[in-house]
Amino acid sequence: MSTLSAIENAVCYIEDHLADALSISDLAKQSGYSEFYFQRLFSAVCEVSLGEYIRCRRMSIAAAELLNSDLRITELAYKYGYETPESFTKAFHRFHGASPSEIRQQKQPAKRFARIIVSHSTAPLAFHVSKRQLPGFTLIGTSCRFPISESIYRDDIPQFWKQCQKDQTLQTLIDSSADALFKGIAACCLAADQSHLNYLIGTASNTCPIHSASIEIPACTWLCFKGSGRLPQVIQQAWHQIYTDYFPASNFEPLGNYDLEIYPDKQMDQSAYPFEIWVAIKESRNI
């Protein structure tokens, strides 16, 4: 299944089951990817997390039902999976900026969150793409275990990078990467369990003095996307374009296990910072 087909199928399923208990496990299983990778894929393509999308769609539909039906607020709360009317009202107010009663009385307009339309873009690629077949290697460096949450990419991981820059970890890794498979720092995240991920910042150098964590990367074929821009926005834009522009038009699809973001310089505030994204791939089943 292509990346866009996996997301489109998930969006359709979500729309048909907004009033049911939605399982990320079931959504991921339909896509053929792990729960962790599927959530990353959804966020990259839709530019909103899977959990946030479901919450926003439910709040949008709930407001429409308030205006167009006689359902009580209590009934709507239970319909959309809230244990109490109070918790529903709190979530509703946070989304709409008004209480359910105020929306029903039309004292304030309801906020609308439309269903996402997944489509293949034909925009020109903003990076150079090459294919590489590489033997297995070991990433060595430092890692942190994070609970999977809405804020992990916005707050937790950037804070980890800041700490590594402050304590000279980034400089040490870059200095030791001269003899490595690539020059610079690699970032890799893997699922630790259903609710946590391990995020490693490291290098493929055998002489790296930092060895608090490591990941064994097996031999595989990689697509290497090379570009430049201001971090972190350019990385987010690149992932979006990789999944919505490149893969749907290619004969490849991601393996759904190992991805690397490679940063050659510790000075990450450059307006045209050079970067690479490596995605482990396989031949598409749709060719």
Side-chain angles (χ1 to χ4, degrees):
M1 184 183 299
S2 73
T3 52
L4 289 191
S5 294
I7 300 304
E8 177 60 25
N9 288 349
V11 169
C12 289
Y13 185 87
I14 290 167
E15 288 300 309
D16 291 339
H17 297 84
L18 282 171
D20 301 328
L22 284 167
S23 164
I24 292 177
S25 175
D26 289 342
L27 290 169
K29 191 177 298 182
Q30 292 175 35
S31 75
Y33 294 109
S34 68
E35 291 183 40
F36 169 69
Y37 198 88
F38 177 71
Q39 290 181 81
R40 286 189 64 199
L41 175 62
F42 191 97
S43 295
V45 171
C46 301
E47 299 179 294
V48 62
S49 73
L50 178 57
E52 183 69 11
Y53 178 75
I54 292 171
R55 283 193 294 274
C56 289
R57 284 295 294 146
R58 282 173 168 166
M59 288 296 101
S60 183
I61 298 299
E65 291 196 51
L66 276 171
L67 294 169
N68 299 300
S69 76
D70 296 325
L71 285 175
R72 295 177 297 169
I73 294 172
T74 300
E75 292 176 293
L76 284 173
Y78 295 139
K79 178 177 180 178
Y80 290 106
Y82 290 85
E83 294 183 355
T84 66
E86 291 76 19
S87 60
F88 171 77
T89 297
K90 184 177 180 179
F92 190 95
H93 193 283
R94 187 163 54 245
F95 179 80
H96 290 284
S99 69
S101 297
E102 290 172 325
I103 294 297
R104 171 159 273 172
Q105 296 167 19
Q106 299 187 32
K107 293 182 178 180
Q108 288 195 50
K111 180 179 176 181
R112 185 170 180 268
F113 190 94
R115 169 182 172 164
I116 285 177
I117 304 298
V118 181
S119 62
H120 170 216
S121 169
T122 57
L125 296 177
F127 33 72
H128 172 73
V129 186
S130 61
K131 182 182 174 184
R132 301 181 68 180
Q133 181 75 43
L134 295 175
F137 59 93
T138 304
L139 279 182
I140 302 170
T142 183
S143 71
C144 193
R145 179 185 173 97
F146 296 109
I148 298 173
S149 66
E150 303 291 343
S151 64
I152 186 170
Y153 295 107
R154 185 185 67 243
D155 301 324
D156 300 336
I157 290 177
Q159 187 59 43
F160 183 46
W161 275 92
K162 289 179 182 178
Q163 180 59 43
C164 289
Q165 187 169 41
K166 182 179 179 180
D167 64 17
Q168 298 299 304
T169 296
L170 299 188
Q171 187 62 61
T172 301
L173 290 170
I174 288 175
D175 290 345
S176 67
S177 69
D179 66 337
L181 185 64
F182 50 82
K183 176 71 168 69
I185 309 162
C188 180
C189 56
L190 297 171
D193 54 42
Q194 290 188 349
S195 58
H196 293 82
L197 66 80
N198 289 327
Y199 187 89
L200 182 139
I201 299 174
T203 180
S205 170
N206 292 324
T207 60
C208 178
I210 300 173
H211 203 312
S212 63
S214 64
I215 295 176
E216 296 293 332
I217 308 290
C220 59
T221 303
W222 301 84
L223 284 179
C224 305
F225 302 86
K226 183 181 294 186
S228 63
R230 185 171 292 282
L231 301 176
Q233 294 89 343
V234 69
I235 295 293
Q236 297 162 356
Q237 293 162 2
W239 277 117
H240 178 76
Q241 195 170 31
I242 286 168
Y243 287 130
T244 60
D245 298 354
Y246 184 83
F247 275 121
S250 78
N251 292 330
F252 308 107
E253 59 182 272
L255 277 176
N257 49 10
Y258 298 103
D259 299 332
L260 303 177
E261 294 174 2
I262 297 177
Y263 305 93
D265 193 325
K266 76 166 187 173
Q267 299 300 327
M268 296 182 168
D269 57 352
Q270 303 172 41
S271 60
Y273 185 90
F275 69 90
E276 294 181 27
I277 291 176
W278 293 13
V279 181
I281 58 163
K282 59 184 176 181
E283 295 289 328
S284 174
R285 289 167 289 182
N286 298 318
I287 61 174

